[in-house]
Amino acid sequence: FKNMTSPTLPDCLDGLESLTVLTLQGNLITGNIPLSFIRMKSIENVQLSGNQMSGQIPSFKNMTSPTLPDCLDGLESLTVLTLQGNLITGNIPLSFIRMKSIENVQLSGNQMSGQIPSFKNMTSPIYYISLARNDFTGDVPELPPTISDIDISQNLLSGSVPTFEDLPLLTGVLLNDNQLTGSIPPGIGKATSIKTLLLKNNQISGPIPPEIGNITELIVFDISNNPKLTGNLNFLRNNKWIASIYANNAGLSGEIPVLDNHPYLNEVVLSNNRLTGTIPNFGQPDWSEWGIKQLILDNNQLVG
C-alpha cells in the first residue's frame, strides 16, 4: 500500500498471496470491501473495525482463500472476522451458516438490518457472536451448541425470550434494548451455565420465573425497565456468585430478600418498584473483599 492515496481499500488485495492476517481497525477507511478480497489465497484473520466503511458485504462464495468467517461460504479456514463500528448495511447472508471454521464474529455498530438467520445448525466451532447496535428485526435466532456469548443488544428484535436449553457452554446473553415481548420462560432455568443475563429495556411482561434461581453461577442480572413484569427476587437467595442486580422499574413487589451471605455482591439497583418492608442486611462475610458499593432503592414503599 506504499503509494496508496485513496482512503478506501484498493482492489488489488489478491496480490498479497501469503498474507494471513489483515488488521486495519481504528482508521478512517471508507468505501466497500473490494471484490479482490475474495480472491486472497491465504487470509485467516481480518479485522476492519472502527472505520467508516459502507455498503453491503460481498458474497464470498467463489473465494479461493481457504479461510474467512462470518456469513460467507467458501471461507473454510477463517476463524475471526471483526467489522464492528463501520457503516455496513444489508442482511446477514445465509452463506454464513455454512462456514466451516468461524469462531468469532463481530458485526456490532453498523447499519445492518433484516432478520437474523438461525445459527442452530452451524457446524463451525463458533463461540462468540456480536451483532449489537444494528437494525435487525424479527425473533432472537436459534443458537449453535458451541456458543458461549451472544450479544444482540440495541436492535429492533421482537418476539419472546428463548429458553436457551441445550446450550451447555452459554455464559453471556445480552438481549437488552430491543422490543422483546411475552414472558421470561421458566425453562431458562435449565441454562445453568449463564453468568450474564441482560434483558433490560424491553417490553417483557408476566411473572419473573423463580427457576432463574437454578442458574447458580449467575453474576450479572438485569431486567430493568420492563415495568409489566411481576414478582420478587427471592430466587437469588441461594446464588452465592451474584455481583450485580439491576431491576429498577421492573414491577417488583413484596420484600427485598435477605442477601447477607453473598460475598461478591456489590451493586443492587431496585428503584421505582412496589417493594415493601424494611431494608435487609446486605453485609458480606468477614473474608469478602467486595462489599456493597451501589445500593439504590428510591421510589418504593419501604419503611424503617
Side-chain angles (χ1 to χ4, degrees):
F1 302 102
K2 182 177 180 180
N3 298 317
M4 184 176 175
T5 59
S6 170
T8 61
L9 290 178
D11 196 14
C12 58
L13 294 174
D14 49 342
L16 304 173
E17 297 183 355
S18 301
L19 188 68
T20 59
V21 178
L22 177 64
T23 63
L24 295 171
Q25 66 264 40
N27 285 287
L28 299 173
I29 299 171
T30 61
N32 300 335
I33 299 175
L35 292 177
S36 60
F37 178 62
I38 68 173
R39 297 190 293 271
M40 298 182 73
K41 296 180 178 180
S42 303
I43 194 68
E44 297 180 359
N45 188 326
V46 178
Q47 302 188 31
L48 301 175
S49 58
N51 284 286
Q52 300 174 13
M53 301 183 74
S54 60
Q56 296 189 2
I57 300 175
S59 170
F60 292 87
K61 184 175 182 180
N62 297 317
M63 186 173 180
T64 57
S65 168
T67 78
L68 226 181
D70 200 303
C71 52
L72 314 164
D73 56 358
L75 304 174
E76 298 180 354
S77 303
L78 193 64
T79 59
V80 178
L81 179 62
T82 64
L83 291 170
Q84 70 264 35
N86 285 287
L87 300 172
I88 298 170
T89 60
N91 301 335
I92 297 177
L94 291 177
S95 57
F96 170 59
I97 308 302
R98 298 188 291 271
M99 301 199 66
K100 296 181 179 180
S101 301
I102 191 64
E103 298 177 2
N104 185 328
V105 175
Q106 301 182 37
L107 297 174
S108 59
N110 283 287
Q111 298 175 10
M112 302 185 73
S113 60
Q115 295 192 1
I116 303 172
S118 172
F119 302 132
K120 183 176 182 179
N121 296 320
M122 290 187 70
T123 58
S124 71
I126 190 164
Y127 65 87
Y128 185 85
I129 299 174
S130 177
L131 305 175
R133 304 190 307 282
N134 280 286
D135 296 317
F136 291 115
T137 57
D139 295 335
V140 177
E142 295 180 293
L143 300 174
T146 56
I147 196 69
S148 170
D149 291 271
I150 179 72
D151 183 358
I152 323 178
S153 60
Q154 300 182 54
N155 278 283
L156 302 171
L157 298 182
S158 55
S160 57
V161 178
T163 60
F164 299 113
E165 294 183 60
D166 302 319
L167 298 174
L169 305 178
L170 185 63
T171 61
V173 177
L174 283 68
L175 300 179
N176 52 286
D177 297 276
N178 279 287
Q179 300 174 8
L180 300 178
T181 59
S183 60
I184 303 174
I188 199 170
K190 297 180 180 180
T192 56
S193 60
I194 293 179
K195 292 179 170 58
T196 300
L197 179 59
L198 305 187
L199 301 175
K200 69 175 182 178
N201 296 334
N202 279 288
Q203 301 170 26
I204 304 170
S205 60
I208 305 169
E211 287 83 359
I212 294 178
N214 296 330
I215 309 176
T216 56
E217 297 183 1
L218 188 63
I219 297 174
V220 180
F221 179 59
D222 193 343
I223 55 172
S224 299
N225 294 321
N226 287 287
K228 294 183 179 181
L229 285 170
T230 60
N232 55 58
L233 299 177
N234 291 338
F235 54 83
L236 292 176
R237 285 175 173 167
N238 297 321
N239 185 319
K240 303 304 181 185
W241 292 97
I242 194 72
S244 300
I245 304 171
Y246 303 103
N248 53 296
N249 192 29
L252 297 180
S253 59
E255 297 186 353
I256 301 173
V258 176
L259 301 172
D260 60 350
N261 193 28
H262 293 65
Y264 306 106
L265 185 62
N266 63 87
E267 294 179 300
V268 178
V269 181
L270 305 178
S271 55
N272 300 303
N273 285 291
R274 299 185 299 277
L275 295 170
T276 57
T278 59
I279 299 174
N281 180 18
F282 287 98
Q284 274 92 5
D286 293 338
W287 56 267
S288 175
E289 298 179 359
W290 291 75
I292 294 291
K293 294 181 174 60
Q294 183 172 227
L295 179 61
I296 301 178
L297 305 175
D298 54 298
N299 295 320
N300 280 286
Q301 301 170 22
L302 300 170
V303 297

